[in-house]
Amino acid sequence: MGAFEYRAVDTSGREKKGLMEGDTARAVRQMLREKKLLPVEVREVAERSSKKKTKRAGFSLGGDKLSATELALITRQLATMFRAGLPLDEALQAVAEQNDKPRPKRIMLGVRARVLEGHTLASGLGEFPRAFPELFRATVAAGEQSGNLDGVLERLADFSESQQALRGKIIEALVYPAFLTIAAISIVVFLLLTVVPPVVDVFDDMQMDVPALTVALIAASEFMQAHGLKLLVILVGLIVLVRFILTKPGPRRTYHRGLLKAPLIGRFVRSSNTAQFARTLSIMASSGVPVITAMGIGSSVVTNLPMREAIDVATERVREGASIAKSLDVSKLFPPMTMRLIASGEASGELDSMLMRAADSQEQELETLRKMLTSLLAPIMVLLMGGIVLLIVMAILLPIFDLNTAGF
């Protein structure tokens, strides 16, 4: 029995979309007719491997990509079902029924259909590569081969949740400074466009000489009024241009290398990428995935290009017989503590647990850096904004003081 997605029309002419299980598309059409629905299109659930396939399909219920939250939830649900002793097909059915959203439900029914056809769970997940990354599929395959699928799913659930938490910390560290910067710029622009012009008109009517600070403020205000829109367009254009340039490997590599050398930010980038790589390698090593395969997949979770390339080079060295720690340490891009923990794990035969400790250590450092960045940035931005507002107020008050002194 397979899973089919359908598009049909009811007796009032309204279009209906949904999911239904059946042996064949013809059987599903018959069931739709029994429900007084006119089938327009019925197709078996399958991964749209390209935009061309998606277009031929005619319609979509939201694509086949799962969010990090959805993947973590599905993995935890599957692990719980397996721990309770449910057969694979029943566990997949239960997970599908527990999801109210069409996309996760359709994907899980599609995986279940493959399993009912006699395929392995890893093979079923492989039908949806955009929903289940290579790390996920390779680990599940190793778990099936070793007969420890329930334990592997538990570790994958923990891994997915930890990655989601790490991603949240990174986003929080990036969003807060961006919000403060935008707020500061917006306040300054608001003052220059609304508060300063009426004051300037008063000074112009009195035809009086004003201090240099006031002249500078007036010039800035007039410039913003005359060219503010142009500046906004130029700024948006520059952002788009920079984003386009950074899609090229060369400029992106240079930018990422610069990030690694930047004070404080470099430590943040290095810690976040090392934590993701170490935890990925740990979960795969503990699940029985060969270390060469694990390193190759682990490099894909690293977003910094120089660090990813260093892992790829290290993978070739390991393939030739070198140790992981020495191979990675050649680049000098990874924290020394992580290298020592990996070396200790290789020597003691407890590589997976040492990698997990390395990931925990880097995430703790990442959290410390995040708190440091936010605690430093808030007072700096407050002081900066206070200084700018003070300059604007002084530029307005100085001519008024001159008026009082002159006896006006």
Side-chain angles (χ1 to χ4, degrees):
M1 183 176 290
F4 294 82
E5 54 186 6
Y6 66 83
R7 184 158 56 94
V9 178
D10 62 14
T11 54
S12 61
R14 288 179 295 187
E15 187 177 81
K16 302 283 187 179
K17 292 181 181 179
L19 296 162
M20 186 174 289
E21 286 190 303
D23 295 323
T24 63
R26 182 176 181 179
V28 171
R29 291 191 183 93
Q30 182 60 37
M31 286 187 284
L32 289 172
R33 293 189 186 98
E34 291 174 359
K35 294 182 177 182
K36 297 183 179 181
L37 293 174
L38 177 64
V40 176
E41 183 171 10
V42 176
R43 64 184 299 276
E44 191 170 2
V45 171
E47 168 69 2
R48 298 171 181 83
S49 59
S50 66
K51 292 182 179 180
K52 191 173 182 180
K53 286 185 179 180
T54 302
K55 188 175 287 186
R56 285 204 301 265
F59 72 99
S60 171
L61 293 178
D64 292 319
K65 186 174 177 62
L66 293 174
S67 67
T69 303
E70 290 170 339
L71 181 60
L73 178 60
I74 285 175
T75 309
R76 179 60 67 188
Q77 289 172 332
L78 265 180
T80 303
M81 298 298 174
F82 266 95
R83 190 65 70 186
L86 266 70
L88 178 56
D89 62 321
E90 292 184 19
L92 292 169
Q93 178 71 34
V95 172
E97 290 175 353
Q98 288 179 17
N99 279 278
D100 297 328
K101 296 181 180 179
R103 179 174 53 198
K105 185 172 183 177
R106 178 172 60 83
I107 290 173
M108 296 314 296
L109 287 176
V111 174
R112 180 175 180 270
R114 294 289 289 175
V115 169
L116 289 175
E117 292 172 2
H119 296 277
T120 63
L121 176 59
S123 177
L125 298 176
E127 289 293 309
F128 302 90
R130 295 183 64 227
F132 303 100
E134 188 178 2
L135 157 68
F136 198 98
R137 289 178 276 125
T139 307
V140 168
E144 288 181 303
Q145 291 172 6
S146 64
N148 187 33
L149 185 57
D150 54 347
V152 166
L153 285 172
E154 287 283 355
R155 286 194 289 270
L156 274 175
D158 294 337
F159 172 78
S160 299
E161 290 167 359
S162 66
Q163 289 297 97
Q164 185 183 1
L166 178 61
R167 190 177 295 108
K169 292 176 183 178
I170 294 173
I171 292 174
E172 183 181 350
L174 295 175
V175 168
Y176 185 64
F179 174 77
L180 286 179
T181 302
I182 293 173
I185 294 174
S186 300
I187 291 172
V188 172
V189 171
F190 174 78
L191 291 174
L192 290 175
L193 293 179
T194 61
V195 176
V196 175
V199 178
V200 171
D201 292 339
V202 173
F203 295 150
D204 287 341
D205 292 341
M206 300 185 67
Q207 297 182 351
M208 61 175 294
D209 295 331
V210 293
L213 182 61
T214 308
V215 172
L217 178 66
I218 293 172
S221 176
E222 291 176 347
F223 181 82
M224 286 299 300
Q225 292 180 71
H227 305 289
L229 186 58
K230 294 179 183 177
L231 283 176
L232 180 61
V233 172
I234 292 173
L235 179 62
V236 172
L238 284 175
I239 293 173
V240 173
L241 178 62
V242 169
R243 287 176 62 88
F244 173 75
I245 292 174
L246 290 179
T247 59
K248 309 298 181 182
R252 187 163 74 250
R253 185 181 297 106
T254 302
Y255 172 67
H256 285 180
R257 190 176 292 113
L259 287 178
L260 289 174
K261 295 178 180 179
L264 203 58
I265 295 176
R267 287 178 59 193
F268 190 89
V269 172
R270 185 176 286 106
S271 294
S272 62
N273 281 277
T274 302
Q276 291 187 72
F277 173 70
R279 197 169 293 280
T280 300
L281 202 59
S282 171
I283 186 68
M284 301 194 77
S286 63
S287 302
V289 178
V291 67
I292 299 298
T293 304
M295 290 185 69
I297 296 174
S299 70
S300 65
V301 305
V302 176
T303 57
N304 185 271
L305 276 185
M307 295 183 72
R308 183 189 299 175
E309 291 167 354
I311 294 172
D312 292 337
V313 173
T315 303
E316 293 304 315
R317 291 176 180 271
V318 173
R319 194 189 305 275
E320 295 169 359
S323 69
I324 299 174
K326 290 182 179 179
S327 300
L328 289 172
D329 198 37
V330 170
S331 65
K332 303 299 180 184
L333 294 178
F334 298 90
M337 176 63 74
T338 300
M339 296 299 98
R340 285 195 288 270
L341 287 171
I342 293 176
S344 175
E346 288 182 292
S348 63
E350 298 181 356
L351 180 60
D352 54 344
S353 61
M354 289 296 105
L355 282 166
M356 192 65 72
R357 289 187 185 182
D360 291 339
S361 173
Q362 291 305 309
E363 287 182 7
Q364 288 174 5
E365 182 175 352
L366 189 66
E367 178 65 11
T368 302
L369 288 172
R370 183 188 67 81
K371 291 179 179 178
M372 187 185 303
L373 281 171
T374 52
S375 61
L376 284 175
L377 189 63
I380 289 174
M381 292 301 296
V382 169
L383 288 174
L384 181 62
M385 273 303 304
I388 294 174
V389 172
L390 178 63
L391 286 175
I392 294 175
V393 171
M394 290 298 296
I396 295 173
L397 290 179
L398 283 176
I400 297 175
F401 292 154
D402 290 343
L403 286 174
N404 292 334
T405 304
F408 281 92

